[in-house]
Structures are given as structure tokens and as C-alpha cells.
Amino acid sequence: MKTILVPLQNISMMTSTLDFVVRLAQRTGAYIEGFPLRLGIPQYVVAELAAGFPLESYQTKSEAELNEMRGFFEAFMLEHDIPRAAGGSSRPCFDWLTTAPEGEDFVGSYGRAFDLIVMARSDVDAAGPHRRAIESALFEGGRPVLLTPLNAPRSIATNIMIHWNGSTEQARVNAFAMPLLHLAERVSILTVVGGQGVPGPSADRIVRQLQYNDIAANLIRVELEGRDTGEAVLDAARAQGCDLLIKGAFTRTRLRQLMFGGATSYIMEHADLPVLMAH
């Protein structure tokens, strides 16, 4: 994972997200690119919202916020000894995309050119644009998305848990995670007995697959015990002291998760460790 895309927002979790990105890039020798994530608002809507003060004032304020985000990002990188990218520069290094358009959809389309997209995780109180940006990355990017919590662990990908549910989505994110799995000191394959899953290979087959890729993994099984699947997964990761969870995203449809709940939504809203996801 040598190229990392980071959408920047004016949210409280941004500092911890950048802290995680820096430590990951230092471990993997990655290039980091930041850009401002902005809600796309049609001009006629802006005009309605700006009633009572000139549209120029709104645009000036927006430009000031963009400059503030860029200044924050660049200062953070330099303070943590990540140099600006230059011709022939060594990694880790960083750069800033000045031409990013408005709209959450850009995260998914532009993210296809990167090995990894890193964003602050959603929560039950997250604004709609933030959640839509995460879903754009997951559904349109074709790349893995790493969601960071408010207080990420100091270690990165040393103790990894894979939640195996038999699904195509989980197989895909396992493949994306191979570079990190090779770095890990410990890898666990979790099965939630009675939890949400689909017909597919057993967890034992995944252990065997990883062994042939020179990755030793141990198998863990837990019961639901009255919990939702997502809650059981996070409890197991916490009990094992994991610093990264590998999770396939939206095995059930978004609509079904919205109506009936699902492990993906629960983990996105409650995870207290970094989660690598892919759809």
C-alpha cells in the first residue's frame, strides 16, 4: 500500500485520522495525498441559503476554509517529518490536490488511482455527506477503505483480526489486506457462530490459504450470546487486543441494513479500532 488518499474535512476526528495515516505511511513507505472534501451544493441552493448576505461572502468563507484545511494538512505532515513530494523524492512523502471538485462522489472516482483511501469512521450522529463520502469510496472506488476511530491504537497492523463470513466482499478485502497481513505479528480468523453470513468456504480454508501465503493465522469462534453480529465482532477484536479489523462491507444491501440493521453499519458507527473495508 504505497499510495494513500486522505479526504480532509473540518471535523474533530481529523487529527487522529492524520496521525494514523502518518504512522502507516512511515511503516509502509507510502505517498500521501490530501484533498478537501466539500459538499456539492447547486448554485441556486447556495443563493437561497445565502439570502441575507452576499453570495460573494459565502464564496470567500468557503475559500478560507479550504486554505485552512490545506494549511492544517501540510503543517501536520511537516511536523511529523513527512516531506513534500518532489521529483525523485524518497517515501514517505505528501502532496495536496488543489483541483478537487465539490461533491462526495469524487472520493470514489479519484480513489481508484490509489492503493488505499483513509477516512474518519462514521457514527450515529455523522452528517449525511460524510456517510455518503464513505459509501462512495466503498461502492465506486474499487479500492480498500480504512476507517479510523477517534483514538486509534498506537500500533498499526501488528495484531490483525479477519471477520470471515464466507462472502465475496470478505474475500475481496482479504486480498487487498495482504500487504498488511504480511507485516502483522499475529493474525486471527474470527467466525461468529449464528451470526450474519452467506454460504461459502469455511474459516479453516482461509487459514489454509493464508498459510500457503506464508501468513500464520489462528482460528477463533465466538457465540452471539444475545448480541448483534457487529457487536460480537468488535467485542472479540477488543478481547484479543487487535489494532486492525479486516471486514467485508455491506454483504447485505444498504437498504436492508438501513431497515433491519447489519454488521457493517454497526461496525462503521461503533468501532474503537481501525477497520479496513471493501465491497
Side-chain angles (χ1 to χ4, degrees):
M1 296 183 177
K2 298 296 186 180
T3 57
I4 302 174
L5 180 65
V6 187
L8 269 287
Q9 297 174 270
N10 283 323
I11 58 176
S12 59
M13 294 175 68
M14 207 67 248
T15 299
S16 59
T17 298
L18 289 184
D19 182 59
F20 181 88
V21 168
V22 163
R23 287 185 284 118
L24 178 61
Q26 288 171 335
R27 189 172 186 195
T28 63
Y31 162 76
I32 306 167
E33 184 166 309
F35 77 91
L37 178 58
R38 297 175 290 164
L39 170 63
I41 305 177
Q43 287 299 312
Y44 71 88
V45 176
V46 172
E48 289 291 334
L49 293 174
F53 62 93
L55 181 58
E56 290 78 8
S57 297
Y58 173 87
Q59 293 171 335
T60 300
K61 183 175 183 294
S62 178
E63 188 67 26
E65 290 178 349
L66 295 182
N67 291 333
E68 182 181 347
M69 277 191 281
R70 178 174 184 171
F72 170 68
F73 173 77
E74 294 182 342
F76 195 97
M77 294 294 122
L78 295 173
E79 287 171 6
H80 290 80
D81 299 320
I82 306 291
R84 194 181 307 274
S89 64
S90 60
R91 297 186 303 267
C93 58
F94 80 91
D95 204 353
W96 178 261
L97 180 67
T98 59
T99 58
E102 293 183 345
E104 307 88 59
D105 292 345
F106 182 70
V107 178
S109 62
Y110 190 61
R112 297 166 195 159
F114 291 80
D115 299 323
L116 180 67
I117 304 169
V118 180
M119 303 179 68
R121 73 162 175 80
S122 181
D123 59 40
V124 292
D125 299 318
H130 181 56
R131 180 65 177 246
R132 290 196 298 272
I134 293 175
E135 292 185 356
S136 171
L138 286 170
F139 285 91
E140 305 299 333
R143 309 302 299 168
V145 179
L146 201 154
L147 302 179
T148 64
L150 180 58
N151 297 302
R154 299 306 302 174
S155 59
I156 300 175
T158 63
N159 184 355
I160 299 176
M161 176 170 285
I162 296 171
H163 171 221
W164 180 251
N165 62 2
S167 69
T168 302
E169 293 80 8
Q170 188 61 51
R172 184 174 294 119
V173 73
N174 286 4
F176 281 134
M178 279 296 181
L180 297 179
L181 292 170
H182 279 289
L183 291 176
E185 299 168 6
R186 184 170 186 264
V187 176
S188 304
I189 312 296
L190 173 70
T191 298
V192 180
V193 180
Q196 295 172 4
V198 298
S202 68
D204 301 270
R205 299 294 300 185
I206 305 306
V207 170
R208 184 182 181 189
Q209 177 213 5
L210 293 178
Q211 287 174 343
Y212 278 114
N213 281 275
D214 300 319
I215 299 169
N218 63 297
L219 188 60
I220 296 175
R221 290 185 173 88
V222 299
E223 302 283 344
L224 277 180
E225 298 179 343
R227 299 169 295 182
D228 292 333
T229 301
E231 185 178 3
V233 170
L234 292 182
D235 285 348
R238 195 176 299 113
Q240 296 295 322
C242 296
D243 54 17
L244 183 65
L245 173 65
I246 310 296
K247 175 77 179 75
F250 295 107
T251 299
R252 310 171 88 189
T253 65
R254 280 178 288 181
L255 178 60
R256 185 173 177 83
Q257 293 227 10
L258 179 64
M259 296 175 63
F260 303 107
T264 300
S265 294
Y266 186 92
I267 289 170
M268 286 175 64
E269 295 171 357
H270 297 89
D272 52 3
L273 78 164
V275 183
L276 185 72
M277 289 186 160
H279 178 68

